Amino acid sequence: MAKSFASQADLAPKRQKLDRLGEGVYCLTAEGDPNTGIIIGEDGVMVIDARATPVLARELMAELAKITDKPVKYVVLTHYHAVRVMGASAYNAPHVIASLGTLELIKERGQQDFQSEVQRFPRLFQNVETVPGLTWPNLVFDRELRLFMGKREIRLQHIGRGHTSGDTIVWLPEEKILFSGDLVEEGTTPYCGDAYLGEWPATLERLAAFAPEKLVPGRGDALLNADAASRAIDATQGFLREMRHHVEAGVKAGQGLRQVFDATTRALEPRYGRWVIFEHCQPFNISRCFDEVSGIRHPRIWTAERDLEMWKILQG
Ligand SMILES: [Zn+2]
């Protein structure tokens, strides 16, 4: 039987959880839905990833109101994916921060990505009509931005390509807390449709060198000690290397996309099949990986139409 497209059959609400990671540092996780980080400073709040719609953003603000009455001053976009950025307008934050790589991707493919993600994630994009348009950063950095919220130092860094070409991590050097965006996932399949799979593992080596004591992944539960953080980084890296290895072997043997998809999925399923959104991600992941090992360096743009055509070929 044909599998329903992407996350179109995933309609049951997820349980949300607000974890306290340190003094004024929190994250909202939801069983594999995109996570949001919160840092409360002396005169304002930083929100890391805005959520999919203003309605979901307002849910987060209701949680926030239980712990602080300070206004949101900064919204940080760890990358351009619609499911994390389209709620931004609800915060009325004076500063929306992203890397230069992310700004370029929003310009190049933000609109197509938005339309494609709405079709992929109907549950997260309920009330999509409340999205006023694309989210544009108004504060952009190349490699690093250091911010001080009172005495607390916050470092925003682009440490290399991986999940996208503009990934940003947020690092609290004093507390050794790291917000990784989708560079690291916990119990959730890494989405690789726009990825640089040859570079991502090395980016994760640089990320591991921070030696975080707590880590908020892009999806899945927060990792609350150094061992758990390190295991999540290793597991993400292992998945990426294994997938690329199988795809590369298939391409070298002259196999077509469908054959490579079937063989790679069979090989990965025993170990990773239970990770959240595995079936959703694998067609996109293997399509991109197939392109990359075939010499297509820059990920091709996904559109709502291309999504469905690909799905019909691989999962139909
Ligand atoms: Zn993403």
Side-chain angles (χ1 to χ4, degrees), residues 15-204:
R15 193 174 45 86
Q16 301 192 10
K17 191 162 64 133
L18 190 71
D19 279 335
R20 184 180 178 279
L21 305 171
E23 183 64 42
V25 186
Y26 298 83
C27 66
L28 188 78
T29 64
E31 301 183 288
D33 274 356
N35 294 336
T36 300
I38 296 164
I39 300 171
I40 302 171
E42 270 170 29
D43 58 349
V45 176
M46 173 182 283
V47 170
I48 302 163
D49 282 338
R51 312 196 87 195
T53 63
V55 170
L56 285 180
R58 279 193 283 274
E59 259 181 33
L60 178 114
M61 287 167 84
E63 287 298 313
L64 197 55
K66 295 177 193 166
I67 47 179
T68 183
D69 54 8
K70 291 171 185 165
V72 177
K73 206 168 162 187
Y74 304 102
V75 171
V76 175
L77 315 176
T78 61
H79 58 288
Y80 75 100
H81 283 149
V83 81
R84 297 175 177 273
V85 308
M86 290 302 171
S89 63
Y91 302 100
N92 276 319
H95 307 290
V96 178
I97 311 175
S99 70
L100 186 56
T102 289
L103 173 65
E104 282 165 358
L105 287 164
I106 295 170
K107 278 188 197 159
E108 182 201 38
R109 57 183 69 197
Q111 188 60 37
Q112 287 107 316
D113 175 72
F114 178 36
Q115 282 156 350
S116 135
E117 291 201 45
V118 169
Q119 180 174 258
R120 293 180 193 184
F121 298 105
R123 174 170 54 79
L124 293 171
F125 280 105
Q126 280 170 44
N127 310 108
V128 66
E129 69 285 353
T130 59
V131 174
L134 293 183
T135 298
W136 294 100
N138 61 8
L139 186 55
V140 171
F141 67 96
D142 188 2
R143 292 276 150 183
E144 183 180 57
L145 177 69
R146 294 188 184 197
L147 257 164
F148 294 85
M149 293 173 78
K151 287 194 191 70
R152 172 178 281 133
E153 181 179 353
I154 301 164
R155 294 186 191 170
L156 276 54
Q157 284 184 267
H158 170 65
I159 57 167
R161 294 198 263 217
H163 177 68
T164 71
S165 54
D167 302 315
T168 291
I169 60 167
V170 180
W171 173 238
L172 305 183
E174 193 64 36
E175 297 92 338
K176 294 193 179 300
I177 299 172
L178 185 82
F179 297 86
S180 69
D182 279 329
L183 280 172
V184 181
E185 309 292 19
E186 164 66 8
T188 305
T189 312
Y191 172 74
C192 313
D194 307 300
Y196 291 76
L197 287 140
E199 297 176 52
W200 192 341
T203 301
L204 286 176

